[in-house]
Amino acid sequence: MRQAKKRRSGGKHRPWPLSQRPGYLIRRLHQIHVALFQEACSAFEVTPLQYSLLSALAVRETADQTTLAADIALDRTTTTGALKRLAARGLVERAVNKDDRRARSCRLTPAGAALLVKIEGPAREAHRATLGDLSVREQTLFVEMMQRIVAGNPSRDNATALFD
């Protein structure tokens, strides 16, 4: 049986085309979105990750770094680095938590809140441009499907790459 199959395929392995792999397409879509975000928001010198942190802080008002890391589904070390960079620019205040001296309590500064107001329009435009090749109905469905995938995998937010 295996011999017959091998002869029919000519013995050649046919790899799964990249253009059909969800993981590859998701990575490419992320690259495209980051490029569109940078084009739209370059004047603000904020990365999509930093924008997410500023947005999360705007909603929470005050939060520790671990909570913020969970909010944006990122590891605490990367989140802490981004928050330090935002603090160095005067956009976020990081203070030692009075209840737990190992923790940092974060909040937006007035400058951070003002920047968030200014960047909101261009950032939304970058998000719209990311889905711009889809109809309004397709955009809605696509976002709903992504939300469903994310909701169905709540414990898979800190994956680390085995190989780079």
Side-chain angles (χ1 to χ4, degrees), residues 33-104:
H33 174 69
V34 169
L36 290 167
F37 184 92
Q38 288 304 99
E39 288 171 18
C41 302
S42 63
F44 305 102
E45 298 179 356
V46 171
T47 66
L49 166 64
Q50 292 170 339
Y51 172 62
S52 293
L53 283 168
L54 293 171
S55 299
L57 274 172
V59 169
R60 288 196 176 270
E61 294 182 12
T62 303
D64 63 80
Q65 295 173 160
T66 302
T67 299
L68 289 169
D71 283 352
I72 64 170
L74 200 61
D75 65 277
R76 202 173 63 214
T77 302
T78 304
T79 301
T80 298
L83 286 166
K84 284 179 180 179
R85 286 185 287 285
L86 290 169
R89 290 182 58 194
L91 302 173
V92 170
E93 183 179 280
R94 297 171 62 240
V96 174
N97 186 315
K98 64 181 187 268
D99 298 325
D100 181 354
R101 308 246 346 125
R102 297 168 299 166
R104 301 276 178 190

Side-chain angles (χ1 to χ4, degrees), residues 90-154:
L91 302 173
V92 170
E93 183 179 280
R94 297 171 62 240
V96 174
N97 186 315
K98 64 181 187 268
D99 298 325
D100 181 354
R101 308 246 346 125
R102 297 168 299 166
R104 301 276 178 190
S105 182
C106 303
R107 70 178 184 83
L108 281 180
T109 63
L115 176 74
L116 193 55
V117 169
K118 289 178 191 173
I119 197 174
E120 192 69 27
R124 283 179 185 248
E125 185 52 42
H127 284 272
R128 281 191 291 273
T130 300
L131 302 180
D133 289 329
L134 304 176
S135 71
V136 172
R137 177 70 183 132
E138 288 169 329
Q139 289 177 24
T140 301
L141 285 170
F142 186 67
V143 170
E144 288 172 358
M145 288 186 285
M146 288 189 296
Q147 289 170 332
R148 197 167 60 206
I149 292 168
V150 168
N153 292 277

